Amino acid sequence: MDLYHPRILELSKEPVNFRKNEEAEFKAHAYNPLCGDEFTIYLDDGRTVGLKVSFHGYGCAVSKASAALLTQSLEGEDLKGALQKIEHFMECFESKADTGNADLNLLLAARDFPSRRSCALQAWQECQKTLSAIKKTG
Amino acid sequence: MAKDEKNFGALSAGDWSALRQQFPILRKGDLCYLDNAATTHKPSSVIEAMEHFYRAENATVHRGAYALAEKASLRMESVREQMAQFMGVESHEVVFTSGTTHSLNIIAQGLPDQFLKEGDEIVVCPSAHHANLIPWQELSRRTGAALRFLDLIPDQLTWDLDQAKKIIGDKTKLVAVAHTSNSTGIRYPFETLVHLAHDAGALFILDAAQAPLGEALHFGRSGVDFAAFSGHKMFGPTGIGILYGKAAKLASLRPDRYGGDMIRNVTFQQATYAEGPRRFEGGTPHLAGIIGLGQAIQFIEHIGIDPMRSRCSSLVKRARSLLLEDGWKVLGSQSTSSILSFYDDGIHPHDIATLLNQDGIAIRAGHHCAHPFMRSLGLSGTARLSFAAYNTMKEVDQLMDSLKKIRTLFS
């Protein structure tokens, strides 16, 4: 699989939901100490209309495309649904199973690049931590 | 050992193709390795000497009365002597450590308690490798002494010596800087800082990790109090490094570890410690590593540091000029070593490295363990090329061809 599929490059150049939202109720901070890449994922709790998600920061093509696809996946979900989506993606990533989404499937290529796995996973992992904490307290 | 010497004995200076053949990992010809600042490859002579030691000479040192152990002890001490000559110092000033990080930590953790107090200052460089920053941060935290940073001249990224003269003064107790930046390749004028530090009565510590293949070392002549470097960046094995310290300065440090082989006398209640390097060499040393390091010195001396430096300068010069021609940005206005860092605002360094890897080219990407420095430049990282004498102009061209493809992909 090609880590730099044209769709990944397209998403990294013009990522969806790439905007700050300092007013967001919750923020997940994805930081990769190995390369210094940093993203903030802004989550507005969607008790009535579902989650509103955006992100901002700096990272490689893979991490940027992955964060963009994360925001797209979680958009409109409730907390439980968002956590399920994240878990499903992470399970598919480990097993290389079909995610059911053509764009997300492209991220699975990172599994073959041990030093780049975190680029594809980090935003998802940090979001999972944040959402789990919200679910526990709330 | 005779076998190893014969291996490169026929190698004449300037015969770079034959030199490359000395490195088994490069013989296959499909690896374009440009990450020598991280670690260099190892010539057959080093690999075979280490293997021979384990196969035929294995014993520990300083404690056996049998021939094998005595021979091992002699080998270790002969490499210490060899290393002392390589650095221009005395052998009793040479400590074997596990590498640069270990060496710098021995100093930072071994300074006497009364050496630093609140109000004192430690001067460091903003481009420092974490190994030459974090030990001083921790020392500052423990003692209350403040960290002060040298200024770098914008774009040039070398030291602003006027500012250095202003901040190194009465309060300065310690100056810890690098010989050559591992992230920019700038060779710093550390000799000037040695004088400034000593005039202020401060200790001078040199992170020489990128120095051994760059120029002949004259630590004795330059007057540094301590210097640290690793064997694996100079064709030697991993896990072995050097701490140089002036004899009196070494004697003032607490040992960093206590146990066998570093003692003078032990009773049930207390112990006194060995003098000289052995004070810091508790436990069984990495003897095969020391023997490999000795071979690496022989290899370097056989080829000659000056021809190797000149070769690397030509490679860096060509890479720099081609990178600029193709629109890449290069860190620092000049590279004075075998290291060159470049970047492009629109292409992440890790993407560059991964895509180069697909063409068989190995480079380093990221913050190069100088994270605060990269942040201060507004960069998350750079792509770094670092050459050794076995690299070729053809490899520079191969790199540039691959970079052209990457630029097209991201355009």
Side-chain angles (χ1 to χ4, degrees):
Chain A
M1 279 175 86
D2 183 6
L3 186 60
Y4 293 94
H5 187 279
R7 175 67 181 141
I8 294 290
L9 291 172
E10 185 189 326
L11 276 164
S12 75
K13 284 175 208 163
E14 290 175 28
V16 292
N17 300 323
F18 189 67
R19 59 179 176 273
K20 287 183 182 173
N21 176 12
E22 298 300 349
E23 306 305 313
E25 205 171 344
F26 304 105
K27 289 173 193 164
H29 193 62
Y31 172 68
N32 187 339
L34 295 176
C35 57
D37 288 357
E38 228 166 339
F39 288 110
T40 303
I41 298 115
Y42 303 94
L43 299 146
D44 259 334
D45 189 2
R47 288 188 180 86
T48 52
V49 292
L51 281 172
K52 237 176 90 181
V53 195
S54 65
F55 80 108
H56 202 269
Y58 180 80
C60 64
V62 179
S63 62
K64 212 168 183 180
S66 177
L69 290 172
L70 164 77
T71 64
Q72 222 171 29
S73 300
L74 303 192
E75 192 73 32
E77 294 287 340
D78 60 15
L79 280 181
K80 195 178 160 198
L83 275 167
Q84 280 172 348
K85 286 250 174 159
I86 292 174
E87 278 158 22
H88 175 65
F89 171 72
M90 285 167 58
E91 275 167 24
C92 291
F93 188 87
E94 291 308 329
S95 58
K96 257 194 168 176
D98 185 353
T99 63
N101 175 306
D103 286 348
L104 287 180
N105 282 346
L106 297 173
L107 290 175
L108 306 189
R111 201 173 170 272
D112 296 333
F113 297 80
S115 65
R116 305 301 301 276
R117 286 171 61 97
S118 59
C119 307
L121 286 178
Q122 195 139 33
W124 297 76
Q125 287 165 336
E126 293 306 321
C127 236
Q128 185 183 38
K129 280 185 211 160
T130 304
L131 291 172
S132 301
I134 298 169
K135 201 177 161 200
K136 264 187 198 163
T137 55
Chain B
M1 202 192 300
K3 187 182 160 209
D4 305 323
E5 281 166 5
K6 199 177 164 193
N7 251 353
F8 60 82
L11 190 61
S12 60
D15 187 351
W16 303 115
S17 161
L19 174 106
R20 192 176 170 96
Q21 289 305 308
Q22 299 293 314
F23 293 81
I25 203 167
L26 300 172
R27 276 184 205 148
K28 220 173 123 199
D30 57 355
L31 174 62
C32 173
Y33 184 80
L34 304 177
D35 194 17
N36 295 285
T39 195
T40 59
H41 289 305
K42 322 303 172 200
S44 296
S45 56
V46 168
I47 298 167
E48 285 166 14
M50 292 176 72
E51 189 185 338
H52 179 74
F53 172 75
Y54 281 129
R55 283 187 185 281
E57 298 176 340
N58 182 55
T60 192
V61 292
H62 302 145
R63 61 189 82 159
Y66 48 92
L68 212 55
E70 279 167 2
K71 191 175 177 188
S73 302
L74 286 173
R75 293 284 302 268
M76 177 172 171
E77 294 313 314
S78 88
V79 175
R80 199 189 305 277
E81 181 59 44
Q82 208 184 340
M83 180 52 86
Q85 284 177 25
F86 183 73
M87 297 191 287
V89 302
E90 299 293 325
S91 60
H92 62 275
E93 299 171 316
V94 179
V95 181
F96 290 116
T97 68
S98 68
T100 310
T101 302
H102 182 202
S103 300
L104 291 168
N105 274 278
I106 288 176
I107 309 165
Q109 290 169 33
L111 287 168
D113 293 337
Q114 67 277 16
F115 183 74
L116 283 162
K117 59 182 186 313
E118 219 170 306
D120 292 340
E121 291 179 353
I122 300 167
V123 172
V124 292
C125 178
S127 61
H129 187 287
H130 295 164
N132 197 27
L133 174 64
I134 300 171
W136 314 121
Q137 286 178 346
E138 284 298 310
L139 186 61
S140 154
R141 194 180 53 76
R142 286 201 307 272
T143 61
L147 283 182
R148 292 208 68 181
F149 288 84
L150 295 169
D151 278 352
L152 298 180
I153 300 169
D155 300 328
Q156 290 180 31
L157 300 180
T158 190
W159 295 333
D160 177 344
L161 290 173
D162 290 334
Q163 183 258 0
K165 283 173 194 159
K166 283 180 197 149
I167 67 162
I168 298 175
D170 292 347
K171 291 181 178 174
T172 313
K173 291 290 180 286
L174 193 156
V175 176
V177 293
H179 176 287
T180 296
S181 161
N182 73 303
S183 52
T184 64
I186 307 280
R187 194 278 195 196
Y188 296 119
F190 75 88
E191 294 88 344
T192 306
L193 257 60
V194 174
H195 294 301
L196 291 176
H198 286 169
D199 287 349
L203 271 184
F204 185 90
I205 295 154
L206 188 69
D207 167 3
Q210 300 298 340
L213 291 182
E215 63 189 53
L217 306 176
H218 301 289
F219 293 147
R221 202 195 307 158
S222 66
V224 303
D225 295 303
F226 292 104
F229 60 95
S230 301
H232 72 97
K233 293 183 201 287
M234 50 179 282
F235 305 140
T238 53
I240 190 74
I242 294 295
L243 167 64
Y244 157 71
K246 282 180 183 165
K249 306 292 180 192
L250 271 182
S252 72
L253 296 181
R254 268 192 311 264
D256 73 318
R257 53 190 177 192
Y258 298 89
D261 226 32
M262 51 77 70
I263 49 92
R264 191 177 199 174
N265 188 29
V266 184
T267 67
F268 279 121
Q269 293 302 324
Q270 58 190 350
T272 53
Y273 307 119
E275 290 176 355
R278 283 180 67 179
R279 184 180 168 82
F280 305 97
E281 293 173 352
T284 303
H286 179 17
L287 199 43
I290 291 169
I291 285 162
L293 184 59
Q295 281 295 309
I297 296 172
Q298 279 193 36
F299 186 83
I300 292 167
E301 288 175 342
H302 185 80
I303 308 299
I305 287 180
D306 286 343
M308 286 198 288
R309 177 180 53 202
S310 158
R311 168 128 179 119
C312 290
S313 295
S314 311
L315 294 164
V316 164
K317 204 171 157 192
R318 181 168 169 81
R320 181 185 184 84
S321 129
L322 293 173
L323 284 166
L324 291 170
E325 207 175 293
D326 281 2
W328 299 91
K329 293 177 183 171
V330 174
L331 268 193
S333 54
Q334 54 174 334
S335 304
T336 44
S337 69
S338 57
I339 300 169
L340 187 67
S341 247
F342 69 98
Y343 63 100
D344 180 284
D345 296 327
I347 313 176
H348 191 281
H350 274 184
D351 293 326
I352 296 173
T354 298
L355 286 159
L356 286 176
N357 177 58
Q358 291 180 4
D359 283 346
I361 302 167
I363 67 154
R364 178 79 180 269
H367 51 58
H368 315 300
C369 297
H371 205 176
F373 175 51
M374 288 291 147
R375 276 204 196 104
S376 73
L377 296 173
L379 298 169
S380 84
T382 64
R384 183 187 72 182
L385 311 175
S386 52
F387 295 93
Y390 45 61
N391 289 123
T392 65
M393 288 294 177
K394 206 174 146 195
E395 286 178 312
V396 175
D397 293 341
Q398 186 187 344
L399 168 82
M400 293 313 301
D401 287 346
S402 194
L403 285 174
K404 278 187 173 66
K405 287 195 291 182
I406 293 170
R407 190 176 274 296
T408 306
L409 194 65
F410 279 83
S411 60

